[in-house]
Amino acid sequence: MYGRSAFDKGEMAEKIINLRGLKCPLPTLRVRKALAGLTAGDLLVAECTDPLTEIDIPNLINQTGDELMDAARADKVITFRIRKR
């Protein structure tokens, strides 16, 4: 369920988490926990299906001070790309 490194050198990592099928508040709580385990500059990609995450995750990012790079919807999957600060 939890991601894989994007770079071998360990400078920055990309972590992908599959939150499909989870309902509020679980996706937001898991994004918060995943962000806590990252270092500055790392990228978190969260794949969600709960429509409420389109509100909840941007609000979480405003609270944590991290950067929401992109939010996209394809069919029923909402994908958030978040840069850890």
Side-chain angles (χ1 to χ4, degrees), residues 1-3 16-22 30 45-49:
M1 178 156 114
Y2 289 104
I16 301 171
I17 55 174
N18 179 354
L19 304 172
R20 298 172 192 198
L22 297 178
R30 294 209 180 160
V45 179
E47 300 170 343
C48 309
T49 52

Side-chain angles (χ1 to χ4, degrees), residues 42-80:
D42 288 350
L43 185 67
L44 176 66
V45 179
E47 300 170 343
C48 309
T49 52
D50 185 357
L52 291 176
T53 59
E54 289 182 297
I55 298 167
D56 294 342
I57 290 181
N59 285 336
L60 170 68
I61 300 310
N62 284 336
Q63 291 175 3
T64 63
D66 298 309
E67 182 180 1
L68 181 60
M69 305 290 292
D70 185 45
R73 178 186 279 266
D75 294 323
K76 294 183 179 184
V77 178
I78 307 153
T79 304
F80 298 93

Side-chain angles (χ1 to χ4, degrees), residues 16-43:
I16 301 171
I17 55 174
N18 179 354
L19 304 172
R20 298 172 192 198
L22 297 178
K23 298 292 182 188
C24 181
L26 290 177
T28 305
L29 293 173
R30 294 209 180 160
V31 166
R32 180 186 296 270
K33 183 177 181 177
L35 284 169
L38 298 178
T39 59
D42 288 350
L43 185 67

